[in-house]
Amino acid sequence: MDFMWEAIVMILTGFLLLRLSGRKSLVQMTVTTTIVMISIGSVIVQPIIEDSIIKTIVTVAIFIIVLIIIEYLQVKFNPLEKLITGKAMPVIENGQLNLKNLKKLRFTVDKLEMHIRQKGISNISDIKNATIEPNGQLGYELKPDAKPLTIGEFKKLMGLMINQQNQSPDKDGGLFYEVINKQHQPPNRDDLE
């Protein structure tokens, strides 16, 4: 029965160590980071498993159950989510780099620029606010002049243009003006000759 408690302690230790290691998803890990993470996993499991298949199955089940419980508790208790997962950290605020938060995250300006380029943004000055999310990804909000035109905005713009055209139609040049407005007048015989 001691191995059950050992499994729980090792999981919590693993969470703590991984949390301290920083905000990186698997895709963002370097070769060195990957080797360290795999080693931590091996070290965590080694004292528990020994040679018993049943202990291995129970240990893996405990790992999964504890993971599910922790994820459930994170949903229910916001402070616990902040402790285990972390919160987004602002790195650009009102168009200005937040160097203090970059240092806390151990994130260089070059790394930030790499993330920005990967999002298809060519200038930091186009970003109003940006955060490094708990999973290591970049979240951002563009300045109004740098935002792409959305379909909804395009429809509004077209609606304004159509309304302006309807308010001041060209009576002389519009072929369909008479038909649309039911003001059909017979042609002047002088114009036909």
Side-chain angles (χ1 to χ4, degrees), residues 86-148:
K87 293 286 184 187
M89 184 89 70
V91 290
I92 298 176
E93 296 177 280
N94 298 318
Q96 299 296 314
L97 283 174
N98 186 329
L99 297 174
K100 181 179 155 190
N101 284 348
L102 281 172
K103 285 180 184 177
K104 282 182 188 176
L105 293 167
R106 297 187 308 270
F107 226 74
T108 65
V109 175
D110 288 338
K111 272 189 186 178
L112 179 62
E113 288 173 346
M114 177 186 69
H115 282 282
I116 290 170
R117 282 191 303 273
Q118 288 174 341
K119 296 291 185 183
I121 303 168
S122 57
N123 291 318
I124 289 179
S125 61
D126 289 341
I127 300 174
K128 180 179 178 184
N129 295 307
T131 57
I132 298 297
E133 301 299 328
N135 65 358
Q137 297 295 315
L138 178 73
Y140 65 93
E141 175 189 11
L142 294 172
K143 290 181 179 176
D145 290 343
K147 289 182 182 179

Side-chain angles (χ1 to χ4, degrees), residues 35-93:
I35 292 170
V36 169
M37 294 303 167
I38 292 170
S39 299
I40 289 172
S42 298
V43 168
I44 288 172
V45 174
Q46 190 61 37
I48 303 165
I49 294 177
E50 297 172 5
D51 294 328
S52 171
I53 292 177
I54 293 173
K55 279 187 176 182
T56 303
I57 292 169
V58 172
T59 301
V60 171
I62 290 171
F63 274 54
I64 292 170
I65 291 167
V66 170
L67 178 66
I68 291 169
I69 290 170
I70 288 174
E71 287 175 346
Y72 175 77
L73 291 173
Q74 285 182 52
V75 171
K76 291 291 185 185
F77 304 105
N78 199 29
L80 188 61
E81 178 188 16
K82 186 177 179 182
L83 175 70
I84 293 174
T85 305
K87 293 286 184 187
M89 184 89 70
V91 290
I92 298 176
E93 296 177 280

